[in-house]
Amino acid sequence: MQNDKNDTRKHNIEILDNLGYRHLGNTQVFKKNNSYILSPAVKKNTQGYYWFDVSKKNLERMNNKNFLMLARIVPDLFIFEK
């Protein structure tokens, strides 16, 4: 189960890497210059629903910053919010 969670967390992360965004530690936050993206990865659960959770700590990191939201959905879907 842990491997599955790690695979989901890293899913399509190379897209952000290729755009020049740097992953900030073990968070859902990516940074390029003064631009931030909050990017959780999402996978269908056993009942067939999609959900993700954004930690309070990650939201606090975004406080007073302009940021974008990009949900990376397994296998290859995305939700982008400006």
Side-chain angles (χ1 to χ4, degrees):
M1 185 76 161
Q2 185 65 27
N3 249 1
D4 191 42
K5 184 178 178 181
N6 285 336
D7 290 344
T8 300
R9 187 168 39 103
K10 294 178 182 177
H11 187 73
N12 279 336
I13 206 168
E14 71 278 357
I15 291 170
L16 294 167
D17 290 339
N18 291 341
L19 292 172
Y21 283 87
R22 183 175 52 95
H23 196 190
L24 298 182
N26 193 22
T27 69
Q28 301 168 334
V29 179
F30 296 79
K31 181 180 180 189
K32 177 181 176 182
N33 303 322
N34 290 327
S35 176
Y36 292 84
I37 294 180
L38 184 59
S39 185
V42 184
K43 181 178 163 183
K44 192 183 293 189
N45 68 16
T46 56
Q47 285 115 15
Y49 298 102
Y50 292 92
W51 67 274
F52 63 90
D53 106 38
V54 177
S55 72
K56 182 178 178 183
K57 188 170 186 173
N58 284 334
L59 288 175
E60 288 169 350
R61 280 190 176 99
M62 299 293 98
N63 192 25
N64 297 324
K65 293 181 177 77
N66 288 325
F67 70 93
L68 305 172
M69 173 90 165
L70 176 69
R72 296 169 283 120
I73 304 170
V74 175
D76 290 314
L77 302 171
F78 299 91
I79 299 172
F80 182 73
E81 181 65 36
K82 187 174 177 185

